[in-house]
Amino acid sequence: MAKQDYRIGMIGYGFMGRAHSNAYVQANNFFDLKYRPVLKAICARDEAKAKAFADQWGYQSVETDWRKLVERKDIDAVDVCVPNNLHAEIALAAAANGKAILCEKPLAMNVAEGRKMVEAVEKAKVPNIVWYNYRRIPAVTLAKRLIEEGKLGKIFHYRAKFLQDWTIKSDLPQGGQGLWRLDLAAAGAGVSGDLLAHCIDTAIWLNGGLDTVSCMTETFVKERMHNLTGKVEKVGIDDACIFFGRFANGSLANFESTRYARGHKALYTFEINGENMSLGWDLHDLHRLQVFDYRDEGKIRGWKSVHVTDNSPDHPYMDKWWVPGLAVGYDCSFTHQVADFLDGLASGKPAGPTFRDALETQHVLDAILASAKDQKWVTVGKD
Ligand SMILES: NC(=O)c1ccc[n+]([C@@H]2O[C@H](COP(=O)([O-])OP(=O)(O)OC[C@H]3O[C@@H](n4cnc5c(N)ncnc54)[C@H](O)[C@@H]3O)[C@@H](O)[C@H]2O)c1
């Protein structure tokens, strides 16, 4: 079947700009898709750097103003890979111009902004997805299948952590290139919106929505030099965020995230305890799913470490890659997302998480920060 070009305009060429570009380049090499991404334009404010990026990754053109990019007639989809405070403005303009939107997480700075984005894409009827990529690590997708098959039975506990250690130094500035995550005005929140957003999206996907939450946050370094103003300014983000909660299915939630866990770079882990089975996953060992099945014969009952690399349909996505036993990595979660998104376009069954799905995570984020601020339990809002 002849492939149809799908023309991508990407805004931002940082960490995610690279991860997504790699995914667009890879997707059609491994997946049989009707649409083939074409790297039409990269947009960034520094023209020379954008040109260098375009040369490296194969983008056909460069823009320095995202407003021009979203108006271009030769672009089908806009990919939003910029700091969080720009997501809404770009998405609204892209939707108004009839573009599909692939937006980085968190969807928005808060629920109010996210709601406007949902309304805009639904009114314009444009395809939309948010890059909560961890759903598409094969071992995580396998966990979803096992839960859907009812293997766990009733679920009692869901606990997740996302730990890093890169902001411990008090002389690290906030704001600007590379450090916008420490600047409340650019990031909207600290580790909650940056790291826990991933944990919450995965949790909602695997275990359903959260009803109530109780949260505690801490900002360990209270003031930092601001790169954009040159002045020492108050730090407004949460450096650490811990919350408990109750899922709609009655199970208990236990989440923790920090950038002050010395020794941990990106330790995203979750464990789910069901009546019959428990599952565990660890980003540092991402191709393995830990499984304990209470129904196993007593004398060999124990935790199994399932190497999710069989190239049979049993192991999600893996039949598209190498031979059994050979792992794929972090980058593939993005490739899988591109493949699923393009498949969704072809089939008319959109791949998630859509903007509407991601708004649910935004509700949890708003609820946990409100809980921490007011020191009380908060009911998670719904749309
Ligand atoms: N899905 C994931 O696992 C994941 C991982 C990291 C970051 N993210 C998200 O991706 C987004 C970008 O994060 P990052 O780590 O790539 O950041 P980054 O700092 O590496 O890159 C940000 C890019 O945005 C560009 N930019 C900033 N303002 C701009 C403007 N006005 N016009 C055009 N370009 C502009 C910067 O020049 C830079 O190229 C954030 O929303 C972040 O939360 C998601």
Side-chain angles (χ1 to χ4, degrees):
M1 187 177 47
K3 305 252 182 204
Q4 207 172 310
D5 285 355
Y6 197 68
R7 300 161 301 179
I8 307 289
M10 180 177 297
I11 307 172
Y13 56 65
F15 173 24
M16 282 304 108
R18 293 168 64 230
H20 297 189
S21 299
N22 179 57
Y24 293 127
V25 170
Q26 290 237 31
N28 277 265
N29 294 337
F30 292 92
F31 291 78
D32 188 16
L33 302 165
K34 179 177 163 195
Y35 294 100
R36 182 196 301 279
V38 173
L39 302 181
K40 205 71 192 171
I42 179 75
C43 171
R45 292 156 302 174
D46 183 323
E47 192 171 8
K49 285 189 183 156
K51 274 193 173 138
F53 187 87
D55 285 347
Q56 172 138 19
W57 288 97
Y59 281 86
Q60 294 174 7
S61 61
V62 164
E63 292 289 351
T64 51
D65 180 354
W66 63 260
R67 287 173 188 80
K68 286 214 175 108
L69 181 106
V70 302
E71 286 171 4
R72 272 175 59 161
K73 299 278 177 276
D74 61 347
I75 301 277
D76 297 307
V78 171
D79 191 343
V80 184
C81 298
V82 288
N84 308 342
N85 60 333
L86 292 169
H87 292 189
E89 200 184 354
I90 295 175
L92 295 186
N97 280 281
K99 309 299 182 200
I101 308 166
L102 300 98
C103 184
E104 256 307 342
K105 51 55 60 178
L107 175 66
M109 300 281 274
N110 49 48
V111 167
E113 234 187 48
R115 200 177 273 139
K116 283 189 199 150
M117 295 165 79
V118 172
E119 281 165 11
V121 293
E122 292 185 351
K123 184 167 163 236
K125 296 192 170 55
V126 291
N128 56 90
I129 195 165
V130 179
W131 291 93
Y132 281 116
N133 53 300
Y134 291 108
R135 291 180 176 205
R136 291 180 164 92
I137 301 261
V140 177
T141 316
L142 179 60
K144 167 81 171 167
R145 282 195 193 165
L146 293 172
I147 293 169
E148 277 181 350
E149 287 166 9
K151 293 267 197 303
L152 278 71
K154 183 171 170 47
I155 293 177
F156 299 114
H157 293 284
Y158 190 108
R159 65 184 72 79
K161 287 191 191 120
F162 207 137
L163 311 180
Q164 298 185 335
D165 72 351
W166 61 280
T167 63
I168 294 175
K169 280 192 167 177
S170 58
D171 60 355
L172 187 73
Q174 58 170 318
Q177 195 77 25
L179 290 168
W180 60 265
R181 281 179 174 77
L182 279 69
D183 177 5
L184 185 67
V191 293
S192 52
D194 193 35
L195 306 177
L196 276 183
H198 279 299
C199 303
I200 295 164
D201 172 76
T202 315
I204 293 174
W205 190 55
L206 294 177
N207 195 37
L210 276 148
D211 277 348
T212 51
V213 289
S214 175
C215 177
M216 176 169 79
T217 59
E218 183 56 65
T219 304
F220 293 114
V221 177
K222 312 283 185 208
E223 291 184 327
R224 292 183 187 273
M225 212 278 287
H226 201 297
N227 277 328
L228 301 182
T229 63
K231 292 188 190 134
V232 173
E233 290 187 17
K234 183 173 176 259
V235 175
I237 60 157
D238 46 302
D239 285 337
C241 178
I242 297 172
F243 79 91
F244 299 118
R246 198 180 295 278
F247 286 89
N249 67 5
S251 58
L252 302 187
N254 176 348
F255 286 69
E256 179 185 5
S257 188
T258 179
R259 295 189 184 123
Y260 288 72
R262 183 60 88 200
H264 293 303
K265 302 302 167 193
L267 188 72
Y268 174 13
T269 56
F270 66 72
E271 187 173 297
I272 312 169
N273 307 123
E275 184 183 0
N276 301 316
M277 188 182 270
S278 287
L279 301 175
W281 179 77
D282 173 348
L283 175 56
H284 286 188
D285 210 3
L286 58 83
H287 50 284
R288 290 186 177 275
L289 185 67
Q290 309 299 329
V291 180
F292 179 95
D293 193 340
Y294 174 70
R295 292 156 301 193
D296 282 347
E297 193 191 339
K299 52 183 177 284
I300 54 157
R301 191 186 296 140
W303 279 92
K304 282 189 284 237
S305 173
V306 180
H307 199 234
V308 188
T309 55
D310 201 357
N311 67 352
S312 78
D314 280 347
H315 283 172
Y317 301 106
M318 292 310 296
D319 56 330
K320 302 291 185 295
W321 293 97
W322 313 111
V323 297
L326 300 189
V328 296
Y330 171 72
D331 54 326
C332 296
S333 60
F334 297 95
T335 307
H336 298 159
Q337 177 142 347
V338 169
D340 288 346
F341 176 77
L342 295 176
D343 245 353
L345 289 183
S347 68
K349 289 188 202 126
T354 61
F355 279 22
R356 182 164 284 285
D357 298 331
L359 185 58
E360 211 178 328
T361 295
Q362 208 72 54
H363 271 294
V364 178
L365 291 171
D366 275 18
I368 59 177
L369 291 181
S371 161
K373 184 165 162 279
D374 299 341
Q375 301 194 11
K376 61 171 198 205
W377 280 86
V378 169
T379 301
V380 177
K382 306 254 180 276
D383 257 68

